[in-house]
Amino acid sequence: MKPFDFYAPTTVDEALELMHKYQDSVSVIAGGTDLVLELNEYKAAPAVVIDLKQIKELDYIRVEDGVLRIGAMATHASLAADQTIKEKVRILYEATRQVGSPQIRNLGTIGGNIAQSSVAGDGLAACVTLNADVTLRSVRGTRTMNINDFLAGEGAQKRNILAADELLTEISFPVPDTKHTATAFYKLAKRKSLAISVIGGCMVVTVDDNGVCTHVSMRGGALGRYPMHFATCEEHLLGKKLTYATMLETLPIMHDQILEANRSRPWSVFYKKEGAQGVYKKLFADVLGQLGIEEVQE
């Protein structure tokens, strides 16, 4: 590990000034669960490290006018323990409670997970499926955008549009109406704990009083550079009465999309396309159970 200068600001404004000053040679850490490994393995060698852990103004989970607002420094553990998230946003509850070990959940933050934009980021995949907005701040000002626009980095190493002097400060989305909306997450990994997702399946479904699908969002984590969007599967379900049989009809569509997207990686494509279908069968059962639509039968 090479020597570096270390700063631990206590306010957002202080952090932004430091980031603006050292933007060409700085690494920012929230929980540090990714950067510490990179430093130890000599994959990163910043001249300056800015630790955000002391910025308490970014550590919050609150509902305002029907919108859930999450500060970037909220940890995975605090999200999984929050009653509103547990009862209203099961997709995020399940994603955060399964991240790594208890130590990682207590250190790692949702803001760091999204800013890192890892292909296997469970919190990222959940927030993309929820169609969340993210707020970015710098000394130049504040901008809020949809998370899909945030994940639009250019070049092989650029995972998102976060500028070097810019800080992700908040994630927000409307609180789901659990009477008509179900959200679900299921993680396929090599073991039950301390494992990075091999496939992270995410789903948000809304139905009307007759059980007809009026909105659906389906994303697959760890299947591509960004959470894979199963748009054609969504189109198949929209306007149809939601049943397990109808949902199963999307699996061949999903199979073909994963196959096409992974043709350059034949060593993994069979596992991914078969594994994703197994994951989504679990999600379909969970969604239907939350909505109380029908008993699932294989």
Side-chain angles (χ1 to χ4, degrees), residues 237 243-252 281 284 297-298:
L237 293 176
T243 67
Y244 191 62
T246 303
M247 297 173 93
L248 287 179
E249 292 171 0
T250 66
L251 295 184
K281 286 182 180 180
F284 296 159
Q297 295 181 349
E298 289 283 359

Side-chain angles (χ1 to χ4, degrees), residues 223-245:
L223 293 172
R225 185 182 184 191
Y226 302 119
M228 185 172 288
H229 186 193
F230 297 118
T232 309
C233 296
E234 295 170 358
E235 292 170 6
H236 182 80
L237 293 176
L238 280 172
K240 291 186 173 69
K241 192 173 181 64
L242 209 61
T243 67
Y244 191 62

Side-chain angles (χ1 to χ4, degrees), residues 187-205:
K187 174 178 178 175
L188 179 65
K190 293 181 180 179
R191 55 183 186 270
K192 291 184 178 179
S193 61
L194 300 174
I196 294 174
S197 288
V198 175
I199 298 170
C202 300
M203 205 169 177
V204 175
V205 179

